């Protein structure tokens, strides 16, 4: 399994969400019905990067070559540092630029190792 490209992650704007795999529905009478889709915890990542155009093209090439491949992501939001097995949810997107630096968001989903 390849590593997710080692670009700096802007932790101030990047997000991670825990998924519990449970979907709750309510009938018209107010009765709750829960469906459990998976027991393992999944995490959704929205990683923001500040990249050069060449780095963005490399990240995009990684996505294009392995859209459904699994990658190892080292994420620094807790101590000790955690690693995750992740897949791309969609292609990396340029969210802005200042002429030299491109601000890129990459969305991933996976499990903690």
């Amino acid at each position: 399994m390849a590593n997710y490209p080692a670009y700096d992650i802007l932790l101030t704007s990047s997000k991670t969400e825990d998924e519990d795999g449970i979907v709750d529905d309510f009938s018209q009478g107010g009765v709750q019905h829960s469906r459990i889709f998976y027991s393992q915890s999944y995490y959704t990542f929205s990683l923001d990067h500040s990249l050069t155009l060449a780095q963005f093209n490399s990240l995009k090439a990684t996505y294009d070559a392995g859209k459904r491949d699994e990658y190892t992501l080292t994420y620094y939001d807790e101590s000790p540092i955690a690693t995750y097995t992740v897949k791309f949810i969609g292609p990396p997107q340029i969210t802005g630029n200042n002429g030299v630096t491109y601000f890129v968001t990459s969305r991933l989903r996976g499990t903690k190792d």
Side-chain angles (χ1 to χ4, degrees), residues 36-97:
I36 299 175
F37 288 99
Y38 45 83
S39 59
Q40 188 173 18
S41 293
Y42 280 85
Y43 299 87
T44 303
F45 296 90
S46 180
L47 303 181
D48 292 332
H49 302 287
S50 177
L51 305 176
T52 65
L53 183 58
Q55 289 172 323
F56 169 73
N57 287 334
S58 176
L59 180 60
K60 181 80 166 69
T62 299
Y63 169 79
D64 289 339
K67 294 176 183 169
R68 300 310 318 146
D69 290 350
E70 290 184 338
Y71 298 91
T72 300
L73 169 69
T74 303
Y75 195 66
Y76 301 90
D77 69 337
E78 59 184 62
S79 181
I81 296 169
T83 59
Y84 298 84
T85 299
V86 296
K87 291 183 179 184
F88 283 98
I89 293 175
Q93 299 290 318
I94 294 176
T95 57
N97 72 68

Side-chain angles (χ1 to χ4, degrees), residues 11-25:
L11 290 177
T12 55
S13 59
S14 294
K15 299 176 193 151
T16 182
E17 296 178 29
D18 297 351
E19 298 178 20
D20 61 8
I22 300 171
V23 174
D24 293 322
D25 294 318

